[in-house]
Amino acid sequence: MPGKEEKTAGQKLAERLTRKAPNAWERLRGEGHQVAMQFAEGYKEFLDAAKTEREAVTAVVAAAVEAGFRPLGELPPGGLAAGSKFYYVNRGKAVVLGVVGVEPLASGFKLVGAHLDVPRLDLKPNPLYESEGLALLKTHYYGGIKKYQWTSIPLALHGVVIKGDGERLELTIGEAEDDPVFTISDLLPHLAKDQMQKKLGEAIAGEELNLLAGSIPYDDEEVKEKVKLRVLEYLHQRYGLVEEDFTSAELEVVPAGRSRDIGFDRGLVGGYGQDDRVCSYTALRAILDLQQARHTALILLADKEEIGSTGNTGMQSRFLEYVVLELAGLAGPGGSVDPGRVLFNSRALSADVNAAMDPNHDGVMEKHNAARLGGGVVLTKYTGSGGKYHSNDANAEFVAEVRRLFNTTGIAWQVGELGKVDQGGGGTIAQYLANLGMDVVDCGPALLSMHAPFEVASKVDIYTTYQAYRAFLEA
Ligand code: MN
Ligand code: MN
């Protein structure tokens, strides 16, 4: 019989052959905890400053400029010096940051690609109306939301209005301490007998997501819609707006208020928009902190992922190809570089979140392949649904390369799959990066309550994700 201290042959064999998913807190230990906690402070500031894709681009560019990045168009022609830092903004909603590598561009670049858009409620083009003595704003939801989660909470209005004469107005109402907020009313339980019988997905209809926006009538007996007119009067006096200006506006309704620490030990971050600003922020920090880039390092923060990566700011557009074309034009002297070849030789992490095992709803997860909060960064070989449909399904060779990198650099990582096979599914920008010829795998932290007004991430996973992106860009 072996002593208590001594391991049995079976124990030793199990240690050698089986993989035990790490707990990233245990991996970091001591001072590492402080570093992860501190990192989350900057992350929360970013979440609070950047609640729309436009605000996120503004925040990203400000940080990039401060770190010495210059507009791509200002790089000198004829030479991309190693270490040159540049950025390129697409219509204020998507952005690429880059650091020129030592290796020639033709050998491919390293990319971390995330998205800046978040599920929300958009104001309709003709949103303002009056009903029952109240002024309301009609919305059309954007992305995959559970509609009932958006009622009875304080909401803020963020966005941009382009007036009839072309003047641009940026708005944020509902975030300052003394700002008013907006809200969507829900039925009292006393009168919800019929509503409570409905399926959860049908309990609140899309056309019921109307925002309370005013309640005091304009003082004139001859006017029909007095409350609406008073709101219009306020908007005109305060911002110079008329009703038609809503037609050329992008006003987004988002949860009001700041991100917060969660739990007695403050190990989690709660806040709006962490899918996918957690990957956007960690990618940003990774490229800002890059010591050296062997291959040219890029981060791409895209728009419209939540509605299928559509539009000219989404990942299905030619934006990245265009940036590579511009880079190839600068890549001389002595050689023309084919942008198509550059893309085909490139490698990418599709930086997006996965679902964390939820102790309240563990039935939808397959426990052997589910990610856990605190388990480190998640490698997701494939997403998709109904039999891997619309999934990138990363090549084993590339997954091996990334896995080896994380193992040799001591980065805590875990695998993840988005729920049980027949339960549903989802997609990321991975498939669109792969369409360009790149090797790509999904990689990012796991979240609880994904797409809810208040999502949850682990501080140690956030920090580990930053480490992972940085190691990938540096290698
Ligand atoms: Mn996402
Ligand atoms: Mn999403």
Side-chain angles (χ1 to χ4, degrees), residues 61 69 102 217 276 299 311 323 350 363 380 394 408 410 420 423:
V61 168
F69 285 68
V102 178
D276 187 30
I299 69 165
V323 170
S350 166
T380 303
T408 52
K420 282 183 175 170
Q423 192 59 235

Side-chain angles (χ1 to χ4, degrees), residues 25 33-34 37 261-269 457-459:
W25 287 117
H33 282 205
Q34 272 318 108
M37 298 297 252
D261 290 342
I262 295 179
F264 296 114
D265 56 9
R266 295 177 174 267
L268 306 171
V269 173
S458 159
K459 289 183 181 178

Side-chain angles (χ1 to χ4, degrees), residues 115 119 275 305-306 352 450-451:
H115 66 93
D275 170 12
E305 191 276 341
E306 296 293 358
D352 212 336
M450 193 197 297
H451 284 204

